[in-house]
Amino acid sequence: MGKINKSITELVGRTPLLELVNYEKKNNLEAKILVKLEYFNPNQSVKDRIALAMVEDAEKKGLLKPGYTIVETTSGNTGIGLAAIAAAKGYKFKVYVQDNVSKERFQVIQAFGGETIKLSEEPVVARVLQETNGDFVAAIDALRNEVLAGQENIFFVDQVSNPANPAIHEATTGPEIWEDTEGNVDILVANVGTGGTVSGTGKFLKSKNSDIKVVAIQPGPNSLPSDSNPEPEEITGVHPFEGVPKERIPSTMDLNIYDEKVEVETIEAYKAAREVAKTDGILIGTSSGGAIHAATVLAKRPENKGKTIVAVLPDTGLRYLSTNLFNEEYQG
Ligand code: PMP
């Protein structure tokens, strides 16, 4: 029987799991590390899942109609996913992008016909970012309440408060892991940006087996801006959730879902990504490297001997060639 797809919307999800067999051997690991390769999505990141889900949810609710412009603010991958879905469904797309986002991302969004605006170039948002010392949640509130309020024929996606974001991970990412492992999974490792991945996937897996441990990744102290280092190399799309005021946590992040937080420094994420490229032939982004680093820390613990760890790898390394990710000379 043939299988001809008629839209990229049919190509989202059902990504493969890969055991890092060579990496495990090289590092003498006695636990299994399975990685979920989200770069198999049609636009190479986990965000294709939420882009499609949030757009179709809005269509169903009558919030998005033909002729409307889809608007979002994002560190990149959500913008790329939405730009492609908007193109395929015939909507216009406009995205406010954080300034530190790699240039490949702007170029991809523009290739899909999307309009990109740097957050710092929107005067109201720039003022709030300055007043709050870079509070992204406050900046999005200002964008929603002061810039977009009153504009007609737009749909503001708002991935940090849109319940369709964690819901699609509960409906797809979690079940895919459960089915592909036939329920043999002990630990889930996921990054936290909006928190959609860890919250939705974690909720589904715990509903199947409450003993499954959920580990959430937070950037380490050397990878966050500080007085001594105002512009560190950051892990794209990954944000702190502990030690952060509650009002700055996206509502898509369920703070009750995780059993443990592991801190990962950017250089550790780089090194893990460089290593698996050479051992197992997968080219992944910085946060994916972070997930492998965290999985390795867990795999080395004696109590995890024989266990199966699943790490969700958000995107492709091709999106980071202009950064230091694969620059071997960069050692932090
Ligand atoms: N890594 C990358 C590269 C991302 O773009 C994102 C999303 N911003 C994440 C990790 C975190 O995923 P989530 O928003 O589902 O928590």
Side-chain angles (χ1 to χ4, degrees), residues 47 75 77 169 191-197 236-238 287 314-315 320:
K47 294 299 189 169
S75 61
N77 283 331
H169 289 292
N191 285 286
V192 177
T194 65
T197 307
T236 304
V238 183
S287 64
D315 69 358
Y320 301 81

